[in-house]
Amino acid sequence: MTQAVVTRRDGDVFQARMFWLHAARLLDEHSPIVRVGFESGLKGFDDIWVEYDPARAPQDHLGNSLTIERMQCKWHATPGAFTHEDLTRPEYINATSTSMLQRALAAYRTDRAVGRTSRLVLVTNHMASSQDTLHGYIRLKSLSLDVEGLFVGKSARSATGKLRKLWREHLEVDDLELRALCTHLGFNLTRDSLDAVRGMLDDVCRANGLVRPVPNASSTIYDSNVFEWVGQRRMVFDRKSLRDRCAQEGLFADNATASRQIFGVKSFEHPLDRLENRCVEVLNLVSEFDDRAIRSTVAWRDTLVPRINEFLLRVPTPDGRVRIAIEVHATLAFAAGVVLDTKSGRLVELEQRSPVLKIWAADDQTLTSDTTTWEFQEHELDPTGHGTACAVSVTRDTEGAVRHYVHANNLKFRRLLLARPVGGPSAQAVVSGAHANALAEQLAVKVKLDREADLTNRTERYHLFISAPNAFTFYLGRQAAMLKPLTLYEFDFGYQVDGSYRPSLSYPEVLSTAGPPA
């Protein structure tokens, strides 16, 4: 078998698994998805399309309700990148005469003519080339284009001016229509392997009562059955038709039971797994951020916390348990824990990507005496200073970045407290929800005991710099009563500002704005 055949086969598998990631959610009566199509509909953007119930449709990065998402899947066997010129070349999408941009324009015009709000998405495992103009204008947290950056205040001879000229002439449109098209373009760029996508498929099958992929088999039944359905001219499915088809082909698990409802909170998008497709309801905070950076620092307290409070407090918990998918900044994971604290009377199950989706809860494992705990170190910074900087290093070591931040901003903290799991930080340092919850409790107790042992500094503020799974940060937020007064810091992962920290939330709120509180 030649490499070209293998690549084509992998591309088909990728497209089929992407179809099932969306189609399986038709089996959930609470899903906003009402129809899914495969290799059908508008020519060009017909690999997969997903239609939403207008009353419950997800919002795009501008806050508009989406009617339909159309996806062009492009799988590559080896790592690589694409450029803005590639989007004008038919051969990039294995076509002979029509480029991806031309297909997107045709789909956009068709949807606009009938009043549909669409999103036209390139789904690929290649990234935008770091050397290309387009690279800096794809918002990887909202998976959209920075249209303002592309169109505002740029001369015709600038890099963005040349990009606009090429696209405008290629499409034979004016700047106004090009800008409108760019608003509807999406780029779901993923580094997930086919095995990782298979893990996502396993989760949606489990959640929706379908036979799960055999874990030790080289392929799954879902990799080919949809292509057989195409041969039978069955390419568009609603809830009833997909349920009937799955029943006919024996795809329902014998022990299928009603799955627990999932509620979601997000401040960024996963490239392949939109929360709205599998959650009963989602609090969408993406529009408050410019990629990773918050648009207005006062929004942490004035906008985001009130919205999280209102949303989480009305999530129903008929049996005392609630399942939440939290794909947010660390600050917001902590804030969610503050809302659903230890006195809320709710046992919270959290979806945790690691990288395969898992359900973590405080009671999901019986901990033993050899379960990893903390290793603490203390360093005096300024004997005349106030406050403790606490570097919490679960997944990555934060000591160097915290020391740099304190020095660069001339902050007069009294001491630095380092908290690392025994064995050091790593992606595998936390193994379960029970483990994450135990670590959070132990850290809170450490802070409490430190304060009780030092009456002089009993009310000093702790400044938390956290690198950890969101599940841990959520559970730490549940312990906020023991940690207060405290201030959280958010790291600039995307180097949008300076690649360092910025204060985000304080408990209780600090009225002074003259720098980080002591």
Side-chain angles (χ1 to χ4, degrees):
M1 183 179 291
T2 66
Q3 183 59 46
V5 174
V6 172
T7 301
R8 174 57 191 268
R9 170 60 181 166
D10 286 349
D12 289 345
V13 168
F14 179 66
Q15 183 181 348
R17 292 180 183 179
M18 287 299 303
F19 165 80
W20 276 105
L21 284 180
H22 296 88
R25 288 156 187 156
L26 279 172
L27 303 174
D28 177 4
E29 294 295 331
H30 300 285
S31 169
I33 298 174
V34 294
R35 289 201 308 163
V36 178
F38 184 87
E39 293 287 352
S40 65
L42 298 180
K43 184 178 181 181
F45 264 83
D46 59 356
D47 283 357
I48 302 166
W49 55 265
V50 180
E51 183 180 329
Y52 298 98
D53 176 355
R56 297 184 294 150
Q59 294 181 344
D60 65 11
H61 60 292
L62 298 177
N64 301 315
S65 293
L66 287 173
T67 306
I68 192 167
E69 284 189 280
R70 305 186 186 278
M71 304 175 201
Q72 175 78 41
C73 297
K74 181 66 176 174
W75 178 263
H76 301 269
T78 57
F82 64 89
T83 67
H84 72 278
E85 289 98 339
D86 286 328
L87 304 185
T88 68
R89 296 170 180 155
E91 58 270 22
Y92 177 70
I93 54 172
N94 299 323
T96 57
S97 60
T98 309
S99 70
M100 184 201 139
L101 279 179
Q102 288 170 327
R103 293 183 176 189
L105 178 64
Y108 162 70
R109 286 173 170 173
T110 299
D111 288 329
R112 181 185 60 183
V114 296
R116 283 192 295 251
T117 301
S118 59
R119 186 168 181 264
L120 309 163
V121 189
L122 173 63
V123 184
T124 180
N125 60 334
H126 271 189
M127 302 293 111
S129 171
S130 60
Q131 307 302 312
D132 187 70
T133 304
L134 188 62
H135 178 266
Y137 295 93
I138 296 179
R139 299 187 183 280
L140 295 183
K141 298 308 172 187
S142 61
L143 311 177
S144 62
L145 280 177
D146 176 7
V147 177
E148 293 299 316
L150 279 174
F151 283 83
V152 175
K154 309 291 184 179
S155 70
R157 288 186 288 183
S158 67
T160 53
K162 293 176 182 176
L163 180 151
R164 295 196 307 270
K165 181 175 185 293
L166 174 65
W167 284 9
R168 189 173 59 243
E169 293 178 353
H170 172 67
L171 296 173
E172 299 180 342
V173 297
D174 58 21
D175 250 13
L176 187 63
E177 187 169 24
L178 178 61
R179 181 183 179 122
L181 171 64
C182 288
T183 301
H184 291 262
L185 293 179
F187 295 85
N188 290 15
L189 313 179
T190 178
R191 291 184 172 88
D192 288 319
S193 65
L194 283 177
D195 286 342
V197 179
R198 175 184 175 140
M200 298 177 200
L201 176 60
D202 178 77
D203 183 70
V204 298
C205 288
R206 175 195 55 77
N208 294 287
L210 291 173
V211 172
R212 297 169 66 175
V214 178
N216 59 352
S218 58
S219 62
T220 81
I221 187 174
Y222 303 102
D223 296 344
S224 59
N225 55 9
V226 68
F227 290 102
E228 295 172 5
W229 296 350
V230 170
Q232 301 165 5
R233 308 304 296 168
R234 299 171 189 246
M235 298 173 287
V236 178
F237 302 89
D238 58 15
R239 277 184 169 76
K240 183 180 185 305
S241 60
L242 184 69
R243 184 172 293 278
D244 291 346
R245 195 65 182 167
C246 289
Q248 181 180 349
E249 301 210 359
L251 295 180
F252 284 116
D254 293 337
N255 61 344
T257 58
S259 60
R260 181 173 296 278
Q261 292 184 350
I262 307 171
F263 295 82
V265 184
K266 68 177 183 180
S267 58
F268 48 81
E269 298 278 10
H270 186 278
L272 300 181
D273 189 10
R274 179 187 289 276
L275 285 189
E276 286 86 349
N277 292 349
R278 56 187 171 84
C279 295
V280 175
E281 188 177 355
V282 175
L283 176 60
N284 186 346
L285 305 173
V286 173
S287 61
E288 296 290 342
F289 296 86
D290 181 4
D291 282 353
R292 267 281 185 179
I294 194 164
R295 295 181 183 276
S296 171
T297 55
V298 298
W300 291 115
R301 174 64 58 185
D302 295 347
T303 304
L304 298 173
V305 167
R307 291 180 66 185
I308 287 176
N309 288 357
E310 188 274 333
F311 179 79
L312 292 180
L313 289 177
R314 63 180 172 80
V315 169
T317 55
D319 61 352
R321 299 179 79 95
V322 58
R323 181 170 296 177
I324 303 176
I326 300 183
E327 299 193 349
V328 296
H329 294 62
T331 295
L332 301 182
F334 188 97
V338 174
V339 178
L340 300 178
D341 65 9
T342 55
K343 296 182 180 180
S344 67
R346 302 177 186 184
L347 199 154
V348 182
E349 299 176 350
L350 297 172
E351 291 195 350
Q352 177 66 41
R353 298 187 189 276
S354 55
V356 177
L357 200 67
K358 296 181 180 178
I359 307 300
W360 281 8
D363 61 351
D364 63 3
Q365 182 188 44
T366 301
L367 300 180
T368 61
S369 59
D370 61 349
T371 301
T372 301
T373 57
W374 290 108
E375 180 178 72
F376 295 108
Q377 293 180 333
E378 299 179 30
H379 301 275
E380 184 180 83
L381 296 179
D382 185 343
T384 65
H386 300 279
T388 291
C390 183
V392 183
S393 305
V394 179
T395 51
R396 297 182 182 86
D397 199 316
T398 62
E399 179 183 1
V402 171
R403 285 185 178 275
H404 179 269
Y405 173 75
V406 171
H407 176 74
N409 291 274
N410 195 30
L411 301 179
K412 303 299 182 182
F413 293 143
R414 181 177 64 86
R415 67 166 185 160
L416 172 64
L417 174 63
L418 304 178
R420 300 183 180 96
V422 174
S426 76
Q428 292 77 42
V430 183
V431 298
S432 68
H435 190 199
N437 184 60
L439 288 173
E441 290 179 346
Q442 292 163 13
L443 180 56
V445 168
K446 166 66 175 175
V447 172
K448 181 175 182 292
L449 293 177
D450 278 4
R451 284 190 171 128
E452 291 176 349
D454 187 353
L455 297 181
T456 304
N457 297 290
R458 189 164 188 170
T459 61
E460 79 171 358
R461 182 171 294 269
Y462 273 66
H463 301 260
L464 300 181
F465 303 81
I466 303 172
S467 174
N470 267 351
F472 164 83
T473 308
F474 171 88
Y475 288 125
L476 188 63
R478 300 191 85 196
Q479 305 295 328
M482 278 200 288
L483 297 169
K484 294 178 183 178
L486 66 93
T487 295
L488 295 164
Y489 292 75
E490 194 71 37
F491 189 71
D492 179 24
F493 285 101
Y495 284 81
Q496 289 179 259
V497 183
D498 58 4
S500 188
Y501 289 97
R502 287 287 184 276
S504 51
L505 282 178
S506 290
Y507 294 90
E509 182 178 0
V510 177
L511 299 180
S512 172
T513 58

